[in-house]
Amino acid sequence: MAVTSMIGARIQRREDPKLITGHGNFIDDVSLVNMAHMSVVRSPHAHARIRSIDTSRALASKGVVAVLTAADFKGVILGPLPVTNSFVADKKQVPEQFPIAAEEAVYAGEPVAVVIADDRYLADDAAQLVSVDYEPLPAVMDLEKAMEPGSPLVKSDRPDNIGWDAAFPAGDIDAAFAEADFVLKERIGQQRVFPTAMETRGCVADYVPYDNRCTLWTSTQVPHFIRLFVGGALGVPESQFRVVSHDVGGGFGAKLRPYPEEYLATAASKITERPVKWIEDRTESLQATTHGRGQIFDVEVAAKRDGTLLGLKFTQLLDIGAYHGVFSAFQVVACLLGGGCYEWKAINARSIGIFTNRMSTDPYRGAGRPEATHLVERVVDLVAREIGMDPAEVRRKNFITAFPHTNNFGLVYDSGEYEKSLDRAMANIDYPALRKRQEELRAQGRYTGIGFSTYVEICGLGPSSATAPAAGIALVESSMVRVHPAGSVTVSVGTHAHGQSHETTFAQIVADTLGVPYDSVEIRHGDTGDTPFGYGTYGSRSLAVGGMAIMASCHKVVEKAKKLAAHAFEASEEDIVVDHGRYFVRGNPGEAKALAELAFASYGAGLPEGMEHGLEAVSYFDPPNFVWPFGCHICAVEVDPETGAVSIDRYVAVDDCGNVINPMVVDGQLHGGIAQGISQALFEEVQYDDATGQMLTGTMLDYLIPTMAEMPHFELDRTVTPSPTNELGVKGIGEAGTIASSIAVINAITDALAPFGIKHVEMPARPDRLWSMIKEARA
Amino acid sequence: MTQPVALTINGRRREDHVEPRLLLVHYLREVAGLTGTHIACDTSQCGACTVLIDGEAVKSCSVFAVQAAGREVTTIEGLAADGILHPVQQAFWNEHGLQCGFCTPGFIMAAAYLLKQNPSPTDDEIVRGLEGNLCRCTGYENIKKAVRSASEAMSGKADGVSGELVGSAAVPVEG
Ligand code: FES
Ligand code: FES
């Protein structure tokens, strides 16, 4: 009998028809009757005392409804922005951040006033007329100087500039180092980068006066989280506060927290009794949407001459920015994963979070895992160079091979086959031929290099047993599956999609699990008004956690349908066979009922004794473990020694995310992820002036987002090692590309420059940096 | 002070009174109600706002509405006709040329213009034609593929791209 299987099929996306015809519904497309516009007046100083604010000229400007400062918001916004534990429960200090500065502005771009006017042009006009008297204060920009006792302070009411100092020791590090033939040291940077979703942030708040009811449309990855905090701070209970996040033009981690403007717009709507819209422009976005990375690692590795890795010591200096991001300490996960996919006798890690007068850092695609991969993969190459061993062989020699594997910090890697993906990638790029060619070209004075990245990452956040103590929240996920009387199915979920294709892939899962036509399944997300509470989408969690919550509800529906079938056939439940949505009595497949027929019956008369009407289920899924995707990326580059320019000749990736729901979507996630890592390796860097704290990369003219011309062709392949953690056997793929790719590029460049004696290259490896290094080496 | 502006958008004539400083992109979105044209930068870098003016691709954030007076503007909403997708739209769908979809209208307009000028572009010509557009989701891999496949479809070389808006793209796999 022919059967169908949607899981694993390349299904074109159902999201696309509206998006390719201009009928998406992004935040700036939301428009309400009588809607006013908000323009935010931001501090031009990195650090300044606010002596006074004169709003009179702005108030007199055409079309202005209100000009509001911190004093106006005090009684309306009742609490500060939240900060989660995120891997560091006992922080040294958690300064409260009110959504708008009152006496002291501590980063360039911090809100100091808002103007509400009839349209956006008029609001922007009036914002120019708000006059703020600032007394500039010293800007704290350098991480190491900021740590010193007696350093100027990021904010004058703080004891010092240290946010946390957390140690993560695992094993006898002194013994591991005592055994070593050699110890290598390096400093490895992770520059600040902009996540740069193409859609900037924005929101529309509609507070209904005298009703204490509010709807907030916002461009976010986490609508339920926003409702919890913004509603809470405004004193509107969740039942009366609806957050809607329709189409979202990319998030990459920068839209997973409540932001000051969401509080301000909502409060302004309450104060002015009008719906209020705020749309961030790009310059605001670069200043006031959270940045990623911003770290320095000082690392020491102990190893043997035969390539055996023994011990790893490192300190992560993390630039928090002026205030903790909501998840600022999430990047500390780099400490727990610094060992990568290798066996170590001991690892000793320490993370110091340091405040500076910059925008907060928070998760950016990969959040902590790209940093960990970059660190350990760089270290392995340093070891290989030191002992003259092929970098692939050092990796092979130290791979973890038995699963489940408990790493030095007690985290359990669920499944893996690291050597297989390494072998496959080496075969795909034809490694021996590439090495031979490299030798030939070197003889001609050309500098090509090959870079490896064999990564493992943690995702599917996460089991409550781990996330509740670490993050302060139990990152479970939810679903509601409702079969309507005529058989179509509505599935509501607590996750959120902003490019990840859940409407397609989740429907594939439901179609197979319930045995109903794919087209009869509707996936709903992004509206707290009709979805169960969920934590949203980040950390590559939506499939491994959210998908499993959907499976759990589907199973409950099938269980009830079996009871209905048993009743209809006057058979016992044990004798009912379910085959692709057909329910029949064992041995009699000719006489079967489809799920739609049983659904119809469930809303009708004559149900079995004691059974409730309807066919629907709600489930919350708490995963037993994280999931651990892995793979091997190999990059081949050529560096022009005269200009320092890098060209990527080949980019080969073999990734393993367990079972695949839709290969087209998985490949797409990898393309975009790899591109972001390559871009960090070669181009991107948020720059502030060290003396004044002014942002130097405040427009897209100054901050390089790669175009089509800068991106290579990606040669993808995969291995499939199902996860034992969940019934679907799935892991996650949203971040893997970014986690793997920056170091594949940097290792390739370092390899290319080996003839110059260059052992380490920092990001971004822009032509001027490489050119100077080559020049210095030649001198 | 407003100024009259009369132009044709997607084949329909309209007349409005607008401020001279109103950008065409804001006019299209907020006055004409065509929100498919997007804004993703302040400095003419991203191409999300690309429309056709008299058949030529233009970044509508770099033009005032009044400058479009007397012209014919085509936006993403005007590209498909009678339920039939433009081959570039169809190819973006077929090849997974979009993820979040925010950059997509601009890319589709720019690609449609490119293929009209040059129906069989080389890979280099595709890159040169589209490097004024930014996408943060796709790494451009499938956008390049989509443009190649649209080019083939338009020159009648490809099978299987019908150019029709099909009811469901779901193709179950025999197993
Ligand atoms: S909005 Fe970016 S180019 Fe027009
Ligand atoms: S699809 Fe998201 S920016 Fe291009």
Side-chain angles (χ1 to χ4, degrees), chain A residues 10 12-13 16 20 28-29 120-121 125 194-196 198 282-283 518-519 668 672 684 701 706 713-714, chain B residues 21 23 26 29-30 35 40 42 45 76 89 93-94 96 99 131 136-138 140-141 168 170 174-175:
Chain A
R10 183 196 191 280
Q12 274 173 256
R13 302 199 320 162
D16 290 354
I20 55 178
D28 200 11
D29 305 342
R120 70 176 82 200
Y121 283 55
D125 287 346
F194 292 127
T196 328
M198 289 312 292
R282 182 57 68 185
T283 296
Y518 167 79
D519 282 331
E684 296 182 38
L701 272 170
H713 166 55
F714 309 115
Chain B
R21 66 170 174 169
L23 296 176
H26 285 138
R29 292 180 50 82
E30 284 165 25
T35 55
D42 323 323
Q45 244 72 50
I76 186 73
Q89 291 173 311
W93 191 11
N94 291 353
H96 190 31
Q99 289 177 28
E131 69 184 348
R136 192 61 158 168
C137 295
T138 63
Y140 303 104
E141 179 88 9
S168 160
E174 291 293 314

Side-chain angles (χ1 to χ4, degrees), chain A residues 47 95 166-167 222 258 286 315 379 401-402 439 451 456 473 494 503 513 521-522 527 542 570 633 650 697 742 763-764:
Chain A
H47 192 189
V222 288
L286 296 174
T315 301
V379 159
T401 51
E439 239 173 77
V456 60
I473 38 182
E503 289 167 40
T513 312
V521 182
E522 163 83 356
D527 184 341
S542 299
E570 293 177 3
H633 290 207
R650 302 270 308 272
T697 48
S742 68
M763 299 188 288

Side-chain angles (χ1 to χ4, degrees), chain B residues 31-92:
Chain B
V31 182
L34 297 167
T35 55
T37 303
H38 296 154
I39 302 169
C41 74
D42 323 323
T43 47
S44 303
Q45 244 72 50
C46 73
C49 60
T50 307
V51 299
L52 304 182
I53 302 184
D54 291 341
E56 235 178 284
V58 171
K59 290 178 174 175
S60 64
C61 71
S62 60
V63 181
F64 294 113
V66 291
Q67 289 176 294
R71 313 284 204 97
E72 204 150 320
V73 177
T74 309
T75 70
I76 186 73
E77 290 92 341
L79 208 55
D82 306 325
I84 311 282
L85 295 177
H86 185 283
V88 172
Q89 291 173 311
Q90 184 70 47
F92 268 71

Side-chain angles (χ1 to χ4, degrees), chain A residues 198 249-250 252, chain B residues 97-104 107 134-138 143:
Chain A
M198 289 312 292
F252 311 117
Chain B
L98 60 148
Q99 289 177 28
C100 78
F102 195 76
C103 70
T104 311
F107 262 103
L134 295 175
C135 173
R136 192 61 158 168
C137 295
T138 63
I143 294 181

Side-chain angles (χ1 to χ4, degrees), chain B residues 8 11 16 29 51 63 65 68 81 93 105-106 108 115-117 120 134 137 164 169:
Chain B
T8 306
D16 293 286
R29 292 180 50 82
V51 299
V63 181
W93 191 11
I108 289 176
L115 293 179
K116 204 162 168 212
Q117 299 300 109
S120 305
L134 295 175
C137 295
E164 268 177 50

